[in-house]
Amino acid sequence: MAEDFKTARLPVITPDMSDEDMEKMMASACDASNMLKALSHEGRLMILCHLVTGEKSVTELEELLSARQAAVSQQLARLRLEGLVKPRREGKTIYYSLTDDRPRRILETIYELFCSVGEPEKERPTEK
């Protein structure tokens, strides 16, 4: 029963699927692929991790990442291109924040699967 719920959220491709539905699915796959490519760089991933906690200036991000301004700006440009972050200018300072909840939701899954730094491992059920 639980397995049915999980698969119900995923698309099912069938031979009788309409061309329109297949085109929509391909467009969505392209969008998802572009977002995943943007997330596939550890620098961009770390920027998003920092922005999950709130808006940060480019200078703050440089310090948090121990990176040069040019490198941080290059990664922010890619994240901006994919619509994951948005800039806000205040005088000479540029601040960045997440555009919506998509990056946060993806980072929660990535954290659950790969990070959990400093947390005790959850006990896994033993086989009988």
Side-chain angles (χ1 to χ4, degrees):
M1 187 73 162
E3 191 173 308
D4 291 342
F5 174 75
K6 287 181 183 177
T7 56
R9 297 181 69 192
L10 297 174
V12 178
I13 300 172
T14 60
D16 61 338
M17 194 173 210
S18 73
D19 288 344
E20 183 181 346
D21 285 344
M22 187 58 85
E23 286 176 22
K24 285 180 186 177
M25 188 175 284
M26 286 299 292
S28 294
C30 184
D31 291 343
S33 175
N34 288 333
M35 178 185 279
L36 291 171
K37 287 175 191 173
L39 295 174
S40 70
H41 185 279
E42 62 273 9
R44 291 189 291 266
L45 202 51
M46 289 302 297
I47 288 171
L48 292 173
C49 287
H50 287 299
L51 294 179
V52 162
T53 61
E55 182 180 73
K56 305 277 186 292
S57 71
V58 174
T59 303
E60 287 175 291
L61 289 169
E62 288 172 47
E63 292 168 5
L64 289 166
L65 299 167
S66 299
R68 295 187 341 216
Q69 187 271 332
V72 173
S73 292
Q74 181 180 23
Q75 301 311 332
L76 285 166
R78 175 65 192 269
L79 293 170
R80 222 176 33 244
L81 179 69
E82 293 305 326
L84 298 172
V85 299
K86 60 184 175 187
R88 177 182 68 83
R89 181 179 288 276
E90 190 174 294
K92 292 182 179 182
T93 306
I94 300 176
Y95 294 89
Y96 281 87
S97 60
L98 301 178
T99 54
D100 55 38
D101 205 40
R102 292 174 306 152
R104 178 186 317 276
R105 291 171 59 197
I106 291 172
L107 288 171
E108 286 171 354
T109 301
I110 291 170
Y111 181 83
E112 180 183 323
L113 294 172
F114 297 99
C115 302
S116 303
V117 175
E119 293 182 8
E121 285 193 38
K122 295 178 182 175
E123 288 186 32
R124 292 187 176 105
T126 56
E127 292 184 28
K128 294 183 180 180

